[in-house]
mmCIF file of all heavy atoms in Angstrom:
data_model
loop_
_atom_site.group_PDB
_atom_site.id
_atom_site.type_symbol
_atom_site.label_atom_id
_atom_site.label_comp_id
_atom_site.label_asym_id
_atom_site.label_seq_id
_atom_site.Cartn_x
_atom_site.Cartn_y
_atom_site.Cartn_z
ATOM 1 N N ILE O 1 91.655 153.278 179.642
ATOM 2 C CA ILE O 1 91.185 154.481 179.043
ATOM 3 C C ILE O 1 90.235 155.239 180.027
ATOM 4 O O ILE O 1 90.301 156.438 180.229
ATOM 5 C CB ILE O 1 90.681 154.296 177.660
ATOM 6 C CG1 ILE O 1 91.748 153.879 176.650
ATOM 7 C CG2 ILE O 1 89.981 155.609 177.143
ATOM 8 C CD1 ILE O 1 91.253 153.499 175.308
ATOM 9 N N LEU O 2 89.235 154.523 180.473
ATOM 10 C CA LEU O 2 88.141 155.019 181.262
ATOM 11 C C LEU O 2 88.589 155.563 182.610
ATOM 12 O O LEU O 2 87.991 156.480 183.144
ATOM 13 C CB LEU O 2 87.022 154.105 181.384
ATOM 14 C CG LEU O 2 86.278 153.728 180.104
ATOM 15 C CD1 LEU O 2 85.162 152.740 180.383
ATOM 16 C CD2 LEU O 2 85.706 155.006 179.442
ATOM 17 N N VAL O 3 89.605 155.007 183.286
ATOM 18 C CA VAL O 3 89.978 155.379 184.686
ATOM 19 C C VAL O 3 91.259 156.283 184.553
ATOM 20 O O VAL O 3 91.660 156.692 185.647
ATOM 21 C CB VAL O 3 90.135 154.244 185.554
ATOM 22 C CG1 VAL O 3 88.856 153.513 185.633
ATOM 23 C CG2 VAL O 3 91.342 153.351 185.099
ATOM 24 N N ASN O 4 91.793 156.672 183.468
ATOM 25 C CA ASN O 4 92.962 157.477 183.344
ATOM 26 C C ASN O 4 92.771 158.663 182.350
ATOM 27 O O ASN O 4 93.402 158.713 181.303
ATOM 28 C CB ASN O 4 94.191 156.629 182.908
ATOM 29 C CG ASN O 4 94.572 155.584 183.889
ATOM 30 O OD1 ASN O 4 94.869 155.839 185.116
ATOM 31 N ND2 ASN O 4 94.505 154.250 183.522
ATOM 32 N N PRO O 5 91.941 159.625 182.802
ATOM 33 C CA PRO O 5 91.711 160.739 181.873
ATOM 34 C C PRO O 5 92.952 161.538 181.612
ATOM 35 O O PRO O 5 93.892 161.602 182.485
ATOM 36 C CB PRO O 5 90.656 161.520 182.735
ATOM 37 C CG PRO O 5 90.906 161.210 184.149
ATOM 38 C CD PRO O 5 91.310 159.749 184.060
ATOM 39 N N TYR O 6 92.992 162.121 180.465
ATOM 40 C CA TYR O 6 94.177 162.860 180.006
ATOM 41 C C TYR O 6 94.369 164.158 181.001
ATOM 42 O O TYR O 6 93.386 164.924 181.009
ATOM 43 C CB TYR O 6 93.963 163.306 178.548
ATOM 44 C CG TYR O 6 95.199 164.166 178.100
ATOM 45 C CD1 TYR O 6 96.461 163.929 178.332
ATOM 46 C CD2 TYR O 6 94.840 165.281 177.282
ATOM 47 C CE1 TYR O 6 97.469 164.716 177.827
ATOM 48 C CE2 TYR O 6 95.902 166.175 176.726
ATOM 49 C CZ TYR O 6 97.112 165.738 177.049
ATOM 50 O OH TYR O 6 98.174 166.587 176.543
ATOM 51 N N PRO O 7 95.492 164.306 181.546
ATOM 52 C CA PRO O 7 95.685 165.550 182.443
ATOM 53 C C PRO O 7 95.888 166.827 181.657
ATOM 54 O O PRO O 7 95.739 167.854 182.299
ATOM 55 C CB PRO O 7 96.920 165.135 183.296
ATOM 56 C CG PRO O 7 97.693 164.218 182.387
ATOM 57 C CD PRO O 7 96.683 163.428 181.608
ATOM 58 N N GLY O 8 96.347 166.802 180.470
ATOM 59 C CA GLY O 8 96.501 167.974 179.654
ATOM 60 C C GLY O 8 97.690 168.737 180.072
ATOM 61 O O GLY O 8 97.775 169.939 179.773
ATOM 62 N N LYS O 9 98.691 168.114 180.658
ATOM 63 C CA LYS O 9 99.775 168.911 181.158
ATOM 64 C C LYS O 9 101.014 167.863 181.427
ATOM 65 O O LYS O 9 100.806 166.682 181.619
ATOM 66 C CB LYS O 9 99.578 169.644 182.518
ATOM 67 C CG LYS O 9 99.257 168.719 183.670
ATOM 68 C CD LYS O 9 98.976 169.591 184.924
ATOM 69 C CE LYS O 9 98.589 168.625 186.060
ATOM 70 N NZ LYS O 9 98.356 169.465 187.364
ATOM 71 N N ARG O 10 102.147 168.390 181.400
ATOM 72 C CA ARG O 10 103.365 167.513 181.622
ATOM 73 C C ARG O 10 103.357 166.908 183.055
ATOM 74 O O ARG O 10 103.111 167.588 183.964
ATOM 75 C CB ARG O 10 104.663 168.367 181.431
ATOM 76 C CG ARG O 10 105.937 167.437 181.617
ATOM 77 C CD ARG O 10 107.156 168.412 181.602
ATOM 78 N NE ARG O 10 107.306 169.276 180.356
ATOM 79 C CZ ARG O 10 107.722 168.748 179.230
ATOM 80 N NH1 ARG O 10 108.227 167.523 179.111
ATOM 81 N NH2 ARG O 10 107.778 169.607 178.201
ATOM 82 N N ASN O 11 103.609 165.664 183.133
ATOM 83 C CA ASN O 11 103.630 165.052 184.327
ATOM 84 C C ASN O 11 104.471 163.655 184.366
ATOM 85 O O ASN O 11 104.778 163.270 183.261
ATOM 86 C CB ASN O 11 102.275 164.731 184.977
ATOM 87 C CG ASN O 11 101.534 163.603 184.194
ATOM 88 O OD1 ASN O 11 101.488 162.517 184.632
ATOM 89 N ND2 ASN O 11 101.028 163.870 183.038
ATOM 90 N N SER O 12 104.696 163.164 185.529
ATOM 91 C CA SER O 12 105.546 161.963 185.526
ATOM 92 C C SER O 12 104.800 160.818 186.345
ATOM 93 O O SER O 12 105.436 159.918 186.874
ATOM 94 C CB SER O 12 106.878 162.173 186.297
ATOM 95 O OG SER O 12 106.633 162.619 187.575
ATOM 96 N N THR O 13 103.404 160.833 186.235
ATOM 97 C CA THR O 13 102.641 159.742 186.829
ATOM 98 C C THR O 13 102.873 158.474 186.057
ATOM 99 O O THR O 13 103.387 158.509 184.923
ATOM 100 C CB THR O 13 101.126 160.126 186.734
ATOM 101 O OG1 THR O 13 100.734 160.210 185.477
ATOM 102 C CG2 THR O 13 100.950 161.406 187.589
ATOM 103 N N PRO O 14 102.560 157.276 186.740
ATOM 104 C CA PRO O 14 102.728 156.043 185.865
ATOM 105 C C PRO O 14 101.927 156.060 184.591
ATOM 106 O O PRO O 14 102.344 155.451 183.585
ATOM 107 C CB PRO O 14 102.185 154.981 186.865
ATOM 108 C CG PRO O 14 102.369 155.667 188.196
ATOM 109 C CD PRO O 14 102.188 157.079 188.008
ATOM 110 N N GLN O 15 100.769 156.744 184.650
ATOM 111 C CA GLN O 15 99.871 156.632 183.429
ATOM 112 C C GLN O 15 100.220 157.664 182.341
ATOM 113 O O GLN O 15 99.976 157.277 181.160
ATOM 114 C CB GLN O 15 98.414 156.813 183.883
ATOM 115 C CG GLN O 15 97.899 155.895 184.992
ATOM 116 C CD GLN O 15 98.182 156.402 186.454
ATOM 117 O OE1 GLN O 15 99.162 157.113 186.657
ATOM 118 N NE2 GLN O 15 97.125 156.157 187.308
ATOM 119 N N TRP O 16 100.684 158.846 182.688
ATOM 120 C CA TRP O 16 100.863 159.788 181.649
ATOM 121 C C TRP O 16 102.232 160.488 181.736
ATOM 122 O O TRP O 16 102.463 161.519 182.189
ATOM 123 C CB TRP O 16 99.764 160.923 181.770
ATOM 124 C CG TRP O 16 98.430 160.472 181.355
ATOM 125 C CD1 TRP O 16 97.400 159.991 182.088
ATOM 126 C CD2 TRP O 16 98.000 160.399 179.936
ATOM 127 N NE1 TRP O 16 96.386 159.718 181.289
ATOM 128 C CE2 TRP O 16 96.631 159.932 179.988
ATOM 129 C CE3 TRP O 16 98.620 160.801 178.715
ATOM 130 C CZ2 TRP O 16 95.889 159.839 178.888
ATOM 131 C CZ3 TRP O 16 97.765 160.590 177.581
ATOM 132 C CH2 TRP O 16 96.487 160.117 177.644
ATOM 133 N N ARG O 17 103.286 159.786 181.214
ATOM 134 C CA ARG O 17 104.532 160.356 181.022
ATOM 135 C C ARG O 17 104.947 160.169 179.561
ATOM 136 O O ARG O 17 104.310 159.241 178.920
ATOM 137 C CB ARG O 17 105.599 159.634 181.904
ATOM 138 C CG ARG O 17 106.919 160.337 181.937
ATOM 139 C CD ARG O 17 107.923 159.514 182.857
ATOM 140 N NE ARG O 17 108.232 158.160 182.319
ATOM 141 C CZ ARG O 17 109.283 157.640 182.446
ATOM 142 N NH1 ARG O 17 110.297 158.106 183.149
ATOM 143 N NH2 ARG O 17 109.523 156.348 181.926
ATOM 144 N N GLY O 18 105.854 160.867 179.005
ATOM 145 C CA GLY O 18 106.141 160.826 177.583
ATOM 146 C C GLY O 18 106.404 159.466 177.009
ATOM 147 O O GLY O 18 105.938 159.036 175.957
ATOM 148 N N LEU O 19 107.320 158.697 177.738
ATOM 149 C CA LEU O 19 107.682 157.357 177.161
ATOM 150 C C LEU O 19 106.465 156.496 177.160
ATOM 151 O O LEU O 19 106.289 155.621 176.229
ATOM 152 C CB LEU O 19 108.793 156.801 177.875
ATOM 153 C CG LEU O 19 110.135 157.428 177.801
ATOM 154 C CD1 LEU O 19 111.331 156.728 178.356
ATOM 155 C CD2 LEU O 19 110.519 157.794 176.312
ATOM 156 N N GLU O 20 105.557 156.511 178.152
ATOM 157 C CA GLU O 20 104.389 155.733 178.191
ATOM 158 C C GLU O 20 103.442 156.072 177.112
ATOM 159 O O GLU O 20 102.741 155.232 176.550
ATOM 160 C CB GLU O 20 103.774 155.690 179.578
ATOM 161 C CG GLU O 20 104.600 155.017 180.636
ATOM 162 C CD GLU O 20 105.972 155.646 180.925
ATOM 163 O OE1 GLU O 20 106.081 156.888 181.217
ATOM 164 O OE2 GLU O 20 106.993 154.998 180.625
ATOM 165 N N VAL O 21 103.244 157.326 176.966
ATOM 166 C CA VAL O 21 102.372 157.839 175.927
ATOM 167 C C VAL O 21 102.777 157.290 174.551
ATOM 168 O O VAL O 21 101.957 156.751 173.754
ATOM 169 C CB VAL O 21 102.369 159.327 175.819
ATOM 170 C CG1 VAL O 21 101.808 159.915 174.574
ATOM 171 C CG2 VAL O 21 101.603 160.013 177.038
ATOM 172 N N ARG O 22 104.110 157.389 174.268
ATOM 173 C CA ARG O 22 104.631 156.913 173.017
ATOM 174 C C ARG O 22 104.367 155.429 172.830
ATOM 175 O O ARG O 22 103.990 154.829 171.804
ATOM 176 C CB ARG O 22 106.172 157.182 172.881
ATOM 177 C CG ARG O 22 106.810 156.776 171.611
ATOM 178 C CD ARG O 22 107.317 155.379 171.724
ATOM 179 N NE ARG O 22 107.782 154.911 170.338
ATOM 180 C CZ ARG O 22 108.039 153.694 170.203
ATOM 181 N NH1 ARG O 22 107.998 152.710 171.062
ATOM 182 N NH2 ARG O 22 108.426 153.301 169.020
ATOM 183 N N SER O 23 104.711 154.598 173.982
ATOM 184 C CA SER O 23 104.614 153.214 173.866
ATOM 185 C C SER O 23 103.248 152.700 173.574
ATOM 186 O O SER O 23 102.998 151.716 172.962
ATOM 187 C CB SER O 23 105.079 152.579 175.173
ATOM 188 O OG SER O 23 105.056 151.167 175.206
ATOM 189 N N ARG O 24 102.227 153.426 174.143
ATOM 190 C CA ARG O 24 100.824 152.984 173.955
ATOM 191 C C ARG O 24 100.376 153.272 172.571
ATOM 192 O O ARG O 24 100.206 152.495 171.742
ATOM 193 C CB ARG O 24 99.904 153.600 174.990
ATOM 194 C CG ARG O 24 100.035 153.123 176.409
ATOM 195 C CD ARG O 24 98.962 153.671 177.374
ATOM 196 N NE ARG O 24 98.915 155.124 177.388
ATOM 197 C CZ ARG O 24 99.575 155.790 178.318
ATOM 198 N NH1 ARG O 24 100.288 155.249 179.302
ATOM 199 N NH2 ARG O 24 99.445 157.121 178.382
ATOM 200 N N ALA O 25 99.976 154.605 172.317
ATOM 201 C CA ALA O 25 99.328 155.039 171.078
ATOM 202 C C ALA O 25 100.227 154.910 169.801
ATOM 203 O O ALA O 25 99.846 154.755 168.777
ATOM 204 C CB ALA O 25 98.690 156.386 171.162
ATOM 205 N N GLY O 26 101.597 155.111 170.069
ATOM 206 C CA GLY O 26 102.532 155.000 169.071
ATOM 207 C C GLY O 26 103.162 153.751 168.932
ATOM 208 O O GLY O 26 104.107 153.497 168.077
ATOM 209 N N GLY O 27 102.778 152.747 169.635
ATOM 210 C CA GLY O 27 103.413 151.473 169.619
ATOM 211 C C GLY O 27 102.414 150.312 169.753
ATOM 212 O O GLY O 27 101.862 149.703 168.925
ATOM 213 N N GLN O 28 102.022 149.942 171.063
ATOM 214 C CA GLN O 28 101.289 148.789 171.340
ATOM 215 C C GLN O 28 99.909 148.781 170.787
ATOM 216 O O GLN O 28 99.350 147.774 170.401
ATOM 217 C CB GLN O 28 101.161 148.598 172.838
ATOM 218 C CG GLN O 28 102.465 148.256 173.596
ATOM 219 C CD GLN O 28 103.059 146.919 173.293
ATOM 220 O OE1 GLN O 28 102.459 146.029 172.688
ATOM 221 N NE2 GLN O 28 104.279 146.678 173.716
ATOM 222 N N TRP O 29 99.298 149.946 170.721
ATOM 223 C CA TRP O 29 97.903 150.132 170.363
ATOM 224 C C TRP O 29 97.700 149.899 168.835
ATOM 225 O O TRP O 29 96.711 149.498 168.292
ATOM 226 C CB TRP O 29 97.222 151.358 170.607
ATOM 227 C CG TRP O 29 96.956 151.602 172.118
ATOM 228 C CD1 TRP O 29 97.257 150.690 173.149
ATOM 229 C CD2 TRP O 29 96.263 152.605 172.737
ATOM 230 N NE1 TRP O 29 96.855 151.168 174.337
ATOM 231 C CE2 TRP O 29 96.202 152.397 174.120
ATOM 232 C CE3 TRP O 29 95.640 153.801 172.231
ATOM 233 C CZ2 TRP O 29 95.495 153.146 175.103
ATOM 234 C CZ3 TRP O 29 95.007 154.703 173.179
ATOM 235 C CH2 TRP O 29 94.951 154.396 174.576
ATOM 236 N N LEU O 30 98.708 150.163 167.969
ATOM 237 C CA LEU O 30 98.542 150.194 166.541
ATOM 238 C C LEU O 30 98.174 148.824 165.953
ATOM 239 O O LEU O 30 97.234 148.811 165.211
ATOM 240 C CB LEU O 30 99.868 150.751 165.928
ATOM 241 C CG LEU O 30 100.176 152.178 166.211
ATOM 242 C CD1 LEU O 30 101.566 152.620 165.644
ATOM 243 C CD2 LEU O 30 99.093 153.123 165.576
ATOM 244 N N PRO O 31 98.947 147.786 166.225
ATOM 245 C CA PRO O 31 98.620 146.447 165.684
ATOM 246 C C PRO O 31 97.285 145.960 166.213
ATOM 247 O O PRO O 31 96.697 145.038 165.637
ATOM 248 C CB PRO O 31 99.750 145.571 165.945
ATOM 249 C CG PRO O 31 100.419 146.220 167.171
ATOM 250 C CD PRO O 31 100.236 147.747 166.993
ATOM 251 N N ILE O 32 96.907 146.379 167.509
ATOM 252 C CA ILE O 32 95.616 146.105 168.055
ATOM 253 C C ILE O 32 94.556 146.638 167.284
ATOM 254 O O ILE O 32 93.579 145.962 166.748
ATOM 255 C CB ILE O 32 95.634 146.361 169.440
ATOM 256 C CG1 ILE O 32 96.651 145.632 170.300
ATOM 257 C CG2 ILE O 32 94.220 146.173 170.104
ATOM 258 C CD1 ILE O 32 96.818 146.036 171.760
ATOM 259 N N PHE O 33 94.595 147.902 167.202
ATOM 260 C CA PHE O 33 93.343 148.596 166.575
ATOM 261 C C PHE O 33 93.233 148.171 165.117
ATOM 262 O O PHE O 33 92.093 147.774 164.679
ATOM 263 C CB PHE O 33 93.501 150.079 166.533
ATOM 264 C CG PHE O 33 92.353 150.868 166.019
ATOM 265 C CD1 PHE O 33 91.251 151.096 166.860
ATOM 266 C CD2 PHE O 33 92.349 151.337 164.720
ATOM 267 C CE1 PHE O 33 90.182 151.862 166.325
ATOM 268 C CE2 PHE O 33 91.298 151.943 164.218
ATOM 269 C CZ PHE O 33 90.137 152.262 165.021
ATOM 270 N N PHE O 34 94.276 148.099 164.305
ATOM 271 C CA PHE O 34 94.088 147.762 162.894
ATOM 272 C C PHE O 34 94.206 146.354 162.652
ATOM 273 O O PHE O 34 93.491 145.859 161.686
ATOM 274 C CB PHE O 34 95.212 148.601 162.098
ATOM 275 C CG PHE O 34 94.988 150.068 162.083
ATOM 276 C CD1 PHE O 34 95.693 150.878 162.963
ATOM 277 C CD2 PHE O 34 94.098 150.561 161.184
ATOM 278 C CE1 PHE O 34 95.467 152.253 162.847
ATOM 279 C CE2 PHE O 34 93.884 151.940 161.173
ATOM 280 C CZ PHE O 34 94.538 152.867 162.009
ATOM 281 N N GLY O 35 94.958 145.604 163.440
ATOM 282 C CA GLY O 35 95.033 144.149 163.195
ATOM 283 C C GLY O 35 93.829 143.374 163.621
ATOM 284 O O GLY O 35 93.716 142.117 163.253
ATOM 285 N N LEU O 36 92.908 143.926 164.388
ATOM 286 C CA LEU O 36 91.786 143.267 164.879
ATOM 287 C C LEU O 36 90.465 143.828 164.365
ATOM 288 O O LEU O 36 89.490 143.585 164.955
ATOM 289 C CB LEU O 36 91.709 143.313 166.426
ATOM 290 C CG LEU O 36 92.889 142.639 167.117
ATOM 291 C CD1 LEU O 36 92.776 142.841 168.711
ATOM 292 C CD2 LEU O 36 92.922 141.154 166.867
ATOM 293 N N GLN O 37 90.524 144.497 163.260
ATOM 294 C CA GLN O 37 89.384 145.058 162.653
ATOM 295 C C GLN O 37 88.269 144.043 162.346
ATOM 296 O O GLN O 37 87.077 144.400 162.317
ATOM 297 C CB GLN O 37 89.768 145.977 161.489
ATOM 298 C CG GLN O 37 90.164 147.312 161.841
ATOM 299 C CD GLN O 37 89.201 148.144 162.588
ATOM 300 O OE1 GLN O 37 88.086 148.230 162.264
ATOM 301 N NE2 GLN O 37 89.664 148.866 163.668
ATOM 302 N N GLN O 38 88.608 142.845 162.120
ATOM 303 C CA GLN O 38 87.624 141.881 161.685
ATOM 304 C C GLN O 38 87.230 140.955 162.935
ATOM 305 O O GLN O 38 86.528 139.990 162.712
ATOM 306 C CB GLN O 38 88.124 140.971 160.536
ATOM 307 C CG GLN O 38 88.609 141.749 159.289
ATOM 308 C CD GLN O 38 87.589 142.828 158.839
ATOM 309 O OE1 GLN O 38 86.451 142.340 158.698
ATOM 310 N NE2 GLN O 38 88.029 143.942 158.456
ATOM 311 N N ALA O 39 87.717 141.273 164.028
ATOM 312 C CA ALA O 39 87.453 140.454 165.212
ATOM 313 C C ALA O 39 86.287 140.918 166.025
ATOM 314 O O ALA O 39 86.255 142.047 166.453
ATOM 315 C CB ALA O 39 88.728 140.409 166.117
ATOM 316 N N ASP O 40 85.298 140.069 166.173
ATOM 317 C CA ASP O 40 84.085 140.445 166.863
ATOM 318 C C ASP O 40 84.323 140.652 168.307
ATOM 319 O O ASP O 40 83.633 141.483 168.964
ATOM 320 C CB ASP O 40 83.055 139.305 166.703
ATOM 321 C CG ASP O 40 82.509 139.089 165.393
ATOM 322 O OD1 ASP O 40 82.566 140.067 164.581
ATOM 323 O OD2 ASP O 40 82.122 137.989 164.984
ATOM 324 N N GLY O 41 85.364 140.024 168.884
ATOM 325 C CA GLY O 41 85.694 140.168 170.283
ATOM 326 C C GLY O 41 86.375 141.541 170.627
ATOM 327 O O GLY O 41 86.389 141.940 171.736
ATOM 328 N N PHE O 42 86.746 142.223 169.513
ATOM 329 C CA PHE O 42 87.227 143.668 169.822
ATOM 330 C C PHE O 42 85.983 144.518 169.723
ATOM 331 O O PHE O 42 85.606 144.884 168.603
ATOM 332 C CB PHE O 42 88.219 143.955 168.678
ATOM 333 C CG PHE O 42 88.845 145.243 168.758
ATOM 334 C CD1 PHE O 42 89.141 145.918 169.971
ATOM 335 C CD2 PHE O 42 89.348 145.925 167.615
ATOM 336 C CE1 PHE O 42 89.816 147.100 170.035
ATOM 337 C CE2 PHE O 42 90.036 147.088 167.700
ATOM 338 C CZ PHE O 42 90.229 147.701 168.929
#
């Protein structure tokens, strides 16, 4: 998150392309953020 700022425009970089956006916040991040709410290491 800290080294990949949002470009605010369409692009095909490894970090900010549509499928990768979907996979992160609409996929992989969901069980992490909510499933680890009681974890001190988060």
Side-chain angles (χ1 to χ4, degrees):
I1 292 172
L2 291 180
V3 301
N4 294 300
Y6 178 45
K9 61 182 180 180
R10 184 186 302 276
N11 72 99
S12 59
T13 63
Q15 300 95 322
W16 286 98
R17 190 182 65 149
L19 294 190
E20 288 63 58
V21 166
R22 181 268 172 197
S23 181
R24 287 191 303 266
Q28 298 287 354
W29 287 8
L30 294 173
I32 293 169
F33 184 84
F34 291 99
L36 297 177
Q37 279 299 313
Q38 307 306 317
D40 292 338
F42 184 31

